[in-house]
Amino acid sequence: MNTTDLPASAVESGGPVEWGGRRTMTDFEATMWRMGADPRLRSPVAMVEVLDRTPDWDRFLAAHEWATRVLPLTRMHVVDTPLHLGNPVWAVDPNFDLSLHVRRQQLPPPATFEQVLQVCQTEVAEPFDPARPPWQVLLIEGPEGGPAVYLIKTHHSLTDGLGGIQLLALLHSRQRRHTPHEWLGEPPAAEPIGSWGALSEQVNRGVRAAPARLAATALRTSRTLAALASRPVSPAVPVRYIRSLNHMLAPPMCPPSPLLRDRSLSYRFGVLEVTVEALKRAGKAGGGSLNDAYIAALLGGFRRYHEAMDCPVGKIPMAMPVSMRVGDNPLGGNRFTGARFSAPADIEDPLERIEAVHEIVLAVREEPALDALMLFIPALSRLPAPLLTGWYAGQSTRLDLQASNFRGMPVPVYIAGARIERMFPFGPLPGCAVMVVLASHCGVCCIGINADPAAVTEPDLFLSCMGAGLDEVLHAGGVTASRGLPAWRKAWEKSHDR
């Protein structure tokens, strides 16, 4: 095997691509990994890609074999330290077997896209084997080579949403035809390392790095003192930070919805889509951005669902990740913080709702203590699992909604000869009732909705209400909403209804 369908740009690097920037998990990533001890708080992230045809299986396998050599992290499993004395490390799995990570399945016709989503939600809800690299893909093949679905599932400790897009940009091709590459590279050597070995490695590395770290700390301190001497800080600054810290760490002021109070270990997937231009226009009409219109649409859907269930709601507690990435960060990893706030689901006018969301989000982004959680993560990551999961569950189960969005692929991409029509992202449900993620793809906002069926007991009604919430925001922005099936859905139904 000496060819792949991955971009030449990756091959031209002449060797493996560093991913995440470090061998040892950060304190934040260690916390996400260890919270998986509680099944309610597992953190799988997934992308459901709709393909215009079923890719050639041999090319598909070859692409993934190539990927595991270009990205050594994909052949690594997690080795934790005893008693959480250090952070987990990534080590090359001595028993790595590609067939355990790349599988295919064909549903008997007629197979609706909703049935495919059911297969995907079941796959994503299944826990990872902690002894193996935490990623899996599933190709759901179409009849006679027709439209197919490509499910990619990874653990959140591997990457956040923007890092996931970086990964897909690296692994997807810009053209349909097969492009041979000479460089394949040898797989990384196995690393049979145990938990004590992982701890010893960190201790040794820490001892070696201590002089440089102390010197850097001393330099930063001297620069800070010099800056304070030349420009004294107003007494109001620390007071403002303390107030912000209290605001960021305190739970939202509003109580969670009684309608969404129950939790389970299951997922229910649904999808919506709208053009990027339409959502931008709606946001601008309300004095906000695409993100403001998106959040306002979700809140409108929540309001409609609660009214349909005869349980009117006012404000709802929600969370939103805020990216902390800068241009020189290495590929992958997790670089975001979270913000929680009371979201106005009770504002009926869509434009007023967009304006209100805009003001809230702007205030959140300007909080001096926006990254305050990072101050406590080192201590949290060392807590015994029951204390860690108990603390986090106490926070997250009070959230009705988590929502995020990130920029996806701006150009057409392919996998093993199949064009990717849509990329629907799905986030985990770490204690919250509903997780919604938006990723753009070739001018289309692909929205993946993951709802806990114990909280959202009428999933079809909920999806309909979320769609209506999106429509009302678009209509208020002067955009004509269309309920018709997009072209890829028509092609799917025609092919799978044979």
Side-chain angles (χ1 to χ4, degrees):
M1 190 186 310
N2 58 11
T3 60
T4 83
D5 290 287
L6 301 180
S9 58
V11 182
E12 291 167 359
S13 65
V17 175
E18 184 180 12
W19 186 261
R22 63 185 70 203
R23 171 184 172 86
T24 303
M25 285 188 186
T26 65
D27 293 324
F28 186 39
E29 291 162 348
T31 301
M32 286 194 292
W33 178 261
R34 288 167 175 164
M35 283 195 305
D38 186 330
R40 297 172 300 169
L41 305 181
R42 291 172 184 150
S43 297
V45 291
M47 186 72 80
V48 174
E49 297 188 345
V50 181
L51 311 180
D52 72 334
R53 65 176 65 171
T54 299
D56 177 82
W57 179 245
D58 289 338
R59 288 177 63 184
F60 188 79
L61 276 180
H64 289 85
E65 173 66 27
W66 194 93
T68 66
R69 301 194 187 198
V70 171
L71 293 169
L73 187 63
T74 58
R75 285 180 176 254
M76 296 182 183
H77 64 163
V78 178
V79 181
D80 209 343
T81 58
L83 304 177
H84 295 182
L85 294 175
N87 286 353
V89 302
W90 296 100
V92 178
D93 180 6
N95 301 305
F96 180 77
D97 183 346
L98 187 66
S99 68
L100 297 175
H101 297 269
V102 182
R103 299 179 296 113
R104 62 176 170 173
Q105 178 179 347
Q106 187 169 50
L107 300 182
T112 66
F113 185 70
E114 285 70 25
Q115 289 174 314
V116 172
L117 284 181
Q118 290 172 14
V119 171
C120 292
Q121 70 197 20
T122 301
E123 287 286 328
V124 175
E126 285 295 314
F128 288 106
D129 182 344
R132 302 189 185 280
W135 65 272
Q136 291 177 334
V137 303
L138 175 65
L139 177 64
I140 303 177
E141 299 178 322
E144 302 177 6
V149 159
Y150 175 35
L151 168 67
I152 307 128
K153 168 189 173 185
T154 67
H155 194 279
H156 211 324
S157 59
L158 270 172
T159 188
D160 57 20
L162 286 174
I165 290 297
Q166 292 173 342
L167 174 65
L168 294 178
L170 179 69
L171 301 185
H172 287 337
S173 175
R174 294 290 185 89
Q175 55 191 5
R176 189 187 294 275
R177 66 182 179 84
H178 179 58
T179 305
H181 299 299
E182 295 298 327
W183 188 86
L184 179 62
E186 293 297 322
E191 298 174 297
I193 181 174
S195 59
W196 285 104
L199 178 60
S200 175
E201 180 181 293
Q202 289 180 62
V203 171
N204 291 337
R205 189 186 304 117
V207 170
R208 291 194 300 270
R213 188 165 57 247
L214 289 174
T217 301
L219 180 61
R220 285 196 301 270
T221 302
S222 64
R223 288 175 175 173
T224 300
L225 292 175
L228 291 176
S230 62
R231 188 176 59 187
V233 178
S234 167
V237 172
V239 172
R240 182 168 177 254
Y241 185 85
I242 292 172
R243 288 176 178 171
S244 175
L245 183 65
N246 180 65
H247 182 226
M248 295 305 295
L249 296 181
M253 296 298 291
C254 62
S257 164
L259 185 64
L260 308 176
R261 64 177 179 272
D262 293 331
R263 298 291 186 270
S264 70
L265 303 180
S266 298
Y267 297 164
R268 290 294 181 272
F269 285 0
V271 300
L272 296 172
E273 65 177 79
V274 61
T275 66
V276 170
E277 182 58 31
L279 205 51
K280 280 184 176 179
R281 284 177 56 189
K284 186 176 181 180
S289 64
L290 180 150
N291 183 69
D292 300 327
Y294 162 59
I295 299 298
L298 301 184
L299 297 178
F302 265 71
R303 176 179 57 81
R304 287 170 176 267
Y305 179 71
H306 280 76
E307 290 175 351
M309 297 291 286
D310 198 24
C311 183
V313 69
K315 294 183 177 181
I316 64 170
M318 73 169 287
M320 181 183 71
V322 179
S323 176
M324 307 300 286
R325 287 183 182 271
V326 294
D328 59 350
N329 285 150
L331 292 174
N334 287 272
R335 294 175 177 83
F336 69 94
T337 188
R340 295 172 296 175
F341 50 89
S342 299
D346 53 345
I347 299 178
E348 292 193 19
D349 185 277
L351 297 184
E352 291 181 10
R353 201 182 319 132
I354 291 173
E355 183 179 4
V357 169
H358 177 71
E359 293 175 356
I360 291 171
V361 173
L362 189 63
V364 165
R365 292 183 182 277
E366 293 179 348
E367 285 281 2
L370 179 61
D371 61 347
L373 183 60
M374 297 300 108
L375 299 175
F376 302 95
I377 281 293
L380 290 173
S381 67
R382 299 293 186 271
L383 289 177
L387 292 178
L388 174 63
T389 57
W391 170 81
Y392 189 83
Q395 302 287 319
S396 62
T397 53
R398 291 180 54 83
L399 294 172
D400 291 338
L401 171 65
Q402 291 197 51
S404 66
N405 90 80
F406 49 87
R407 186 175 300 167
M409 301 287 190
V411 296
V413 287
Y414 303 83
I415 176 72
R419 185 178 68 248
I420 296 161
E421 303 279 10
R422 295 290 187 271
M423 292 183 175
F424 291 107
F426 292 92
L429 286 173
C432 64
V434 179
M435 169 72 79
V436 187
V437 187
L438 180 156
S440 60
H441 177 64
C442 294
V444 176
C445 296
C446 303
I447 302 171
I449 300 172
N450 186 6
D452 189 323
V456 180
T457 56
E458 299 293 335
D460 292 338
L461 174 62
F462 182 75
L463 184 60
S464 176
C465 289
M466 297 298 276
L470 182 60
D471 286 349
E472 72 174 6
V473 163
L474 297 177
H475 181 73
V479 181
T480 302
S482 174
R483 284 294 190 177
L485 288 177
W488 71 266
R489 283 295 294 263
K490 293 178 181 178
W492 179 279
E493 301 298 340
K494 181 179 180 181
S495 174
H496 289 257
D497 194 35
R498 295 172 184 170

